[in-house]
């Protein structure tokens, strides 16, 4: 039975490049520079810090110090600040972010709790749907199936899903598939194989989504894995 509180995947990926082109991450993301501060930029706005939480849905570029950064995507987390682009984290939040980058589930949960202490459980039926999407990235769950699982009319089901997850149903499925493909590539899977296994039409489809959400190409991301 999926956890109704935290049914989401929380993906951590290394970035070995010095710059990410303009892109918009679909969920809140924590960036931790490896050897120095990083800088977010958008239309003259800047946010700098060793640890930065990025607002989702905002197109921005990122510059890193040498050896890049590590990025943790916190699916389902509402951005907790008023900052229009991102928020530099310090003190206990920064320490929690560093711990979470080690991939320990309890550290990630602690970071989420510090960022959004009032966040509650999502409806169990939505949690089950989220888990089913994560479990089979090649299958794009139809809207009718979501409505059946939630026991409500299609439009109502889509509205509830977005309210509970922070993403539209179609966008959530694409992001889940992209996270799966990225993890496969990080583990050495060929790009074309990862694209197929994650349900993308072809390598070009995966590459377009990759550039849109991450600000670099799959090949550049793979090359950056050797930077540590």
């Amino acid at each position: 039975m999926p956890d109704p509180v935290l049914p989401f995947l929380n993906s951590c990926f290394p970035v070995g490049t010095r710059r990410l082109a303009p892109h918009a991450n679909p969920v809140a993301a924590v960036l931790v520079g490896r050897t120095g501060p990083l800088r977010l930029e958008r239309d003259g706005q800047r946010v700098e810090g060793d640890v930065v939480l990025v607002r989702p849905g905002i197109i921005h570029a990122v510059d890193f110090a040498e050896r890049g950064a590590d990025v943790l995507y916190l699916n389902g987390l509402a951005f907790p600040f008023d900052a229009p682009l991102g928020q530099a984290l310090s003190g206990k939040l920064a320490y929690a972010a560093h711990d979470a980058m080690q991939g320990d589930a309890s550290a990630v949960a602690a970071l989420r709790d510090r960022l959004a202490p009032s966040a509650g459980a999502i409806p169990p039926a939505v949690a089950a749907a989220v888990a089913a999407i994560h479990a089979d990235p090649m299958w794009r769950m139809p809207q009718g199936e979501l409505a059946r699982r939630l026991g409500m009319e299609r439009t109502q089901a889509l509205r509830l899903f977005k309210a509970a997850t922070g993403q539209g149903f179609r966008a959530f499925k694409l992001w889940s598939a992209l996270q799966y493909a990225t993890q496969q590539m990080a583990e050495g899977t060929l790009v074309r194989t990862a694209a197929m296994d994650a349900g993308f039409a072809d390598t070009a489809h995966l590459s377009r989504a990759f550039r849109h959400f991450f600000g670099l190409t799959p090949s550049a991301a793979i090359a950056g894995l050797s930077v540590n």
Side-chain angles (χ1 to χ4, degrees), residues 125 145-153 156-157:
E145 174 63 15
L146 176 69
R148 185 193 69 78
R149 286 170 175 264
L150 302 189
M152 56 182 60
E153 184 268 333
Q156 291 179 318

Side-chain angles (χ1 to χ4, degrees), residues 7-82:
F8 304 107
L9 295 178
N10 299 287
S11 302
C12 184
F13 300 120
V15 177
T17 61
R18 295 293 298 271
R19 180 173 174 81
L20 297 180
H23 66 285
N25 48 288
V27 300
V30 177
L31 281 63
V32 177
R34 290 177 176 171
T35 58
L38 55 96
R39 182 174 69 248
L40 310 182
E41 292 185 298
R42 177 181 185 269
D43 297 335
Q45 295 177 321
R46 288 187 176 184
V47 177
E48 297 187 33
D50 293 318
V51 182
V52 175
L53 180 69
V54 186
R55 178 182 286 277
I58 304 298
I59 296 176
H60 64 284
V62 189
D63 288 301
F64 300 109
E66 188 178 358
R67 290 178 51 211
D70 293 300
V71 185
L72 175 64
Y73 295 95
L74 297 169
N75 297 336
L77 180 80
F79 187 78
F81 301 104
D82 293 331

